[in-house]
Amino acid sequence: MKDSQWTKFALGVIGSVLLLTAIFSFMEGQGALQPRTIGLIFFFGTVLLYAVVGVLSSARKVADYYVAGRDIPALYNGMAGAANWMSAASVIGMAGTIYMLGYDGLAYIMGWTGGYVLLALLIAPYVRKMRAYTVPDFMAARYGGNVARGVSVFSAVAMNIVYLIPQFMGVGMIASRFLGLPFEWGVFVALAVILLTTFSGGMRGVTWVSVAQYLIALTAYVVPLVLLSIRLTGSPIPWLSYGQALSEITAFEAANNMTSYIQPFTNMSMLNTLGLIFCLMVGTVGLPHVLTRFYTVKSVRESRISVGWCLLFIVLIYASAPAMAALVRNDIYQNLVGTPIADMPAWVESWGEQDMVTVTDVNNDGILAYEGLELHPDMIVTGAPEIANMPYTVSGLIGAGGMAAAVSTSLGLLMVLAAGVAHDIYKKMINPDASEGAVLFWSRAVLVVVAALCALAALSRPALIVAMVAWAFSIAAASFFPAIFLGIWWRRANATGAVAGMIVGLTVTITYIIISHFYGIQIFGILPVNAGLFGVPANFLVTYFVSMATEAPPEDIQDLVTELRYPRATREIGEGN
C-alpha cells in the first residue's frame, strides 16, 4: 500500500468517526436513536471495520504473517505500534489510576513514555539490524542454540498471558456496558472479537487494523475530553484548562480538609513511585510485541524514525489522561458531592449494578460526602460522558475507543505468542522442514487456545487493569531487558549467563507478584507492580557472574555484537527464516 493510500485511509477513518458522532448525537437529541441502538452500532460497526480491513490485508506468506513483509512506512508503523502499545491500561485504566492516586499516578506516564526514549536510543535500531522474525530469533542468533530461544519463548508466554488478561477485562467491561450483557458474557464477546480480528491477516493484517484502531482510540479519547473541558471551564482546549481544574480541586480540598490531589507521595511512597517509573521504562524495552513491531519496517534507519513517530502518537493520548482525570474529579467535587443521596444521577445506579460505583452515607445525614463515594478506576474514562451529562453517543464513542486499544494490544500479544510457539518452537526446534502452511496452522491453533485461557482467567478480575499491565512490564523487565541490553552492549555475555539470568529474573519477579498481591507479603513496602525491582538486578548479577565464570562466546558471536552497534550500516544480519 502506497503512502498516499495510507493517508487517505487515515483521514477517512477520522472523518467517518467524527461525522457519525455528529449525526448520532443529533438523532439522539431528536429521539430518533435510542442509547442501546447507539451502543450496538458503535460496538459492532468498529468490529466489522476491523474484520474487513484484516481480511483485505490477509497474509499470504510467512514473512507477511510475522513481520508484514518488512515494508510498512515508518509513520504508520509508529501509529500501529502506538495502538499495540497503549492497551486497555492506557485508554481505559490510566486516567482512572491518576484520578485515584493523584500526583503519584503520573509515574505511569513518565515510565511508559520514558521507556520509548530508552528503546529508541539503546535497543530498536540494533535489534532491527538482526534480520529476524521474533525476539527469540534474536536471542538464538546472539547467544547461539535453542536453549536461549526456548527460555525466551517461555518468558514471552508468561509475560503475554499476564498482559492479555486485562485486555479481555477491558473489552469485556465495554461489551457488557454497551450490549447490556453480564460481564462474564462480555468477556466471551471480547474473545470472539479478538480472534476474528487476529485470525484474518497475521502481522500485515494486524498492522492495518491497528492503524484504524489508533485513529478511533485517539478520536474517541479527545472528543469527550474537549466536550468535558467546554462544559466545566468554557475552554475547548483541555490541556490548558487542566491547570484551572487543578486550582479548583485544590481549593475544594483545602476548604474540606481533604488530602491534596497534587501532593507527591501521598498514595505511593517515593520508593514505589520511582521504582514504578524504572520498571515501566525497562519493561518497555523488554516487551517482545513492541520489539517485533520494529522488524516490520523497511530498514534500520526506518526503525529509529518509527520509534519517534510511535512516541509522538503515544504522547497525544498520554498528555490527555491527566487532564481527563482532573476534569472528572473536579466535576465530581462541584456537581455530585454534597447532593442528597436519594437524588443520585442515573449513572450511579447503572454503574453500581456492575460493582463499579459504591455510595455510602458516611455521615448519616442523607448527603453524599466524597469519602462515601467509591468509583472504580476502570470506569472513570468510559463513564466520563455520563458523569458530565453528555449525550449517550459520546459514551458509545469512548467505548469504541477503549475497545480499539484493548483489541489492538491483544492482537500484538497474540501474534508474539503464536510466533513463539509455531515459529520458534515448532519450526526452529521440532520440525525444521515444516511447510509454511503447517507453521501458519500451528500459529492459529495457539491463538485460539491461549486466548480462551486468558478469557477464562479474566472472569475473576484478579486485579485492576493498569496493575496487571504493570505486572507484565515487570516480568518483561526482569526477563528480556538484561539479556537484550547486554546482548547488544557487552561482547562477553554468553548463552549460559543469559539463560541463567532470564530464569532467575523471571522466577524472582513472578514469585514476588504472587506473594505480595495474593498473600500481602511485601519487602520494604514494595508494591506488586514494582516486582521488577527484585528481578532486574537479580538477572543482571546472575548474567554477569555466570558469564564471567564460563567460557566466552565464540569469536563470530563477538564480531556480530560489534557489528550490531553500527545501526546505520546498510547490511542486515541474518536471513529471517
Side-chain angles (χ1 to χ4, degrees), residues 42-231:
F42 270 114
F43 189 90
F44 288 109
T46 51
V47 171
L48 179 62
L49 171 65
Y50 305 151
V52 170
V53 169
V55 169
L56 291 177
S57 55
S58 180
R60 298 288 184 262
K61 300 180 295 183
V62 168
D64 286 339
Y65 193 83
Y66 290 129
V67 290
R70 304 186 196 275
D71 61 0
I72 305 299
L75 186 151
Y76 293 100
N77 191 65
M79 192 177 294
N84 291 161
W85 160 258
M86 288 188 303
S87 82
S90 295
V91 175
I92 298 175
M94 186 164 59
T97 301
I98 297 172
Y99 174 95
M100 177 178 64
L101 298 179
Y103 177 93
D104 300 339
L106 297 177
Y108 285 94
I109 291 180
M110 290 185 281
W112 279 329
T113 52
Y116 252 93
V117 176
L118 192 65
L119 181 66
L121 294 175
L122 297 179
I123 303 296
Y126 309 96
V127 169
R128 175 59 183 87
K129 192 175 182 182
M130 181 72 73
R131 188 175 176 83
Y133 283 155
T134 66
V135 171
D137 266 351
F138 172 87
M139 299 292 289
R142 167 57 181 88
Y143 293 109
N146 285 329
V147 176
R149 184 191 297 276
V151 173
S152 297
V153 172
F154 180 81
S155 299
V157 168
M159 186 280 297
N160 285 0
I161 287 176
V162 174
Y163 207 157
L164 273 167
I165 292 171
Q167 311 312 316
F168 281 92
M169 291 166 56
V171 181
M173 184 179 72
I174 292 170
S176 65
R177 180 66 178 165
F178 295 109
L179 302 183
L181 300 172
F183 172 76
E184 292 75 14
W185 283 101
V187 169
F188 287 107
V189 170
L191 174 64
V193 170
I194 290 169
L195 286 179
L196 174 67
T197 312
T198 313
F199 245 69
S200 54
M203 184 58 79
R204 182 175 291 280
V206 165
T207 299
W208 278 59
V209 170
S210 294
V211 170
Q213 288 168 329
Y214 174 79
L215 295 168
I216 290 173
L218 177 65
T219 306
Y221 206 93
V222 171
V223 169
L225 181 60
V226 169
L227 295 176
L228 186 62
S229 178
I230 293 173
R231 178 179 184 271

Side-chain angles (χ1 to χ4, degrees), residues 313-335:
F313 292 130
I314 290 171
V315 167
L316 293 178
I317 295 289
Y318 280 20
S320 303
M324 174 73 79
L327 288 168
V328 171
R329 193 178 188 95
N330 193 33
D331 190 284
I332 294 292
Y333 282 170
Q334 304 299 329
N335 300 308

Side-chain angles (χ1 to χ4, degrees), residues 158-164 166 283 287 413 466-479 513 529:
M159 186 280 297
N160 285 0
I161 287 176
V162 174
Y163 207 157
L164 273 167
L287 290 177
L413 293 168
V466 75
M468 289 202 69
V469 169
W471 296 354
F473 275 73
S474 273
I475 292 172
S479 55
I513 289 173
V529 293

Side-chain angles (χ1 to χ4, degrees), residues 9 14 37 58 80 151 155 213 268 276 291-292 323 358 440 455 475 542:
F9 174 71
I14 294 176
T37 304
S58 180
V151 173
S155 299
Q213 288 168 329
M268 284 198 300
L276 180 59
L291 292 172
T292 298
T358 302
L440 294 179
I475 292 172
V542 170

Side-chain angles (χ1 to χ4, degrees), residues 98-99 228-229 231-234 241-253 258 261 322-337 370 373 375 380 387-388:
I98 297 172
Y99 174 95
L228 186 62
S229 178
R231 178 179 184 271
L232 291 178
T233 68
S241 58
Y242 174 44
Q244 179 181 336
L246 289 180
S247 296
E248 294 177 1
I249 287 171
T250 302
F252 182 92
E253 290 171 339
M258 297 169 60
Y261 179 71
M324 174 73 79
L327 288 168
V328 171
R329 193 178 188 95
N330 193 33
D331 190 284
I332 294 292
Y333 282 170
Q334 304 299 329
N335 300 308
L336 189 64
V337 173
Y370 182 74
L373 177 66
L375 302 180
I380 293 297
I387 293 172

Side-chain angles (χ1 to χ4, degrees), residues 248-380:
E248 294 177 1
I249 287 171
T250 302
F252 182 92
E253 290 171 339
N256 291 275
N257 296 316
M258 297 169 60
T259 302
S260 175
Y261 179 71
I262 62 173
Q263 180 66 35
F265 314 127
T266 55
N267 293 291
M268 284 198 300
S269 67
M270 181 183 295
L271 173 61
N272 275 304
T273 302
L274 298 178
L276 180 59
I277 294 172
F278 169 79
C279 289
L280 296 180
M281 285 184 66
V282 299
T284 298
V285 176
L287 290 177
H289 77 288
V290 172
L291 292 172
T292 298
R293 174 57 58 191
F294 302 108
Y295 293 138
T296 63
V297 293
K298 300 175 183 178
S299 66
V300 175
R301 178 178 178 273
E302 289 277 296
S303 69
R304 191 183 293 275
I305 297 172
S306 181
V307 174
W309 280 116
C310 192
L311 183 58
L312 172 63
F313 292 130
I314 290 171
V315 167
L316 293 178
I317 295 289
Y318 280 20
S320 303
M324 174 73 79
L327 288 168
V328 171
R329 193 178 188 95
N330 193 33
D331 190 284
I332 294 292
Y333 282 170
Q334 304 299 329
N335 300 308
L336 189 64
V337 173
T339 60
I341 293 178
D343 297 332
M344 290 291 99
W347 65 265
V348 173
E349 180 180 355
S350 61
W351 281 101
E353 293 173 354
Q354 298 183 40
D355 298 322
M356 291 288 184
V357 177
T358 302
V359 172
T360 305
D361 188 0
V362 293
N363 296 323
N364 295 316
D365 58 0
I367 302 298
L368 178 66
Y370 182 74
E371 295 76 13
L373 177 66
E374 184 177 347
L375 302 180
H376 195 288
D378 291 343
M379 64 79 59
I380 293 297

